[in-house]
């Protein structure tokens, strides 16, 4: 038997990620996604970053924010 997902105000679904990411991280991720959709950036950025950095620990929000900021800076 599966447990129902918790709901927030107005019945909206909550996820574990809802409290894990800052609004800035969400905004940066959505901005990067829009560049992928428009074709002005490639998801290969993600793969290349992972291969170059191979992070071994969990990053703090300011460190996580810096990654998409770096990716997006040439696109601005």
């Amino acid at each position: 038997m599966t447990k129902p997902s918790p709901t927030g105000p107005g019945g909206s679904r909550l996820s574990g990620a809802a409290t894990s990411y800052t609004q800035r991280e969400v905004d940066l991720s959505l901005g990067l996604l829009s560049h992928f959709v428009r074709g002005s950036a490639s998801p290969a950025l993600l793969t290349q970053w992972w291969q170059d950095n191979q992070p071994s620990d969990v990053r703090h929000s300011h460190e996580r924010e810096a990654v998409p900021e770096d990716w997006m800076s040439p696109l601005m």
Side-chain angles (χ1 to χ4, degrees), residues 28-68:
L28 288 165
S29 295
L30 291 173
L32 188 58
L33 180 60
S34 74
H35 282 284
F36 293 161
V37 170
R38 289 192 310 257
S40 56
S42 169
L45 283 169
L46 308 174
T47 303
Q48 187 62 49
W49 179 87
W50 188 266
Q51 290 172 346
D52 292 345
N53 294 279
Q54 298 193 6
S56 60
D57 57 343
V58 175
R59 294 174 179 251
H60 298 284
S61 61
H62 66 280
E63 296 169 317
R64 292 190 310 259
E65 290 170 9
V67 174

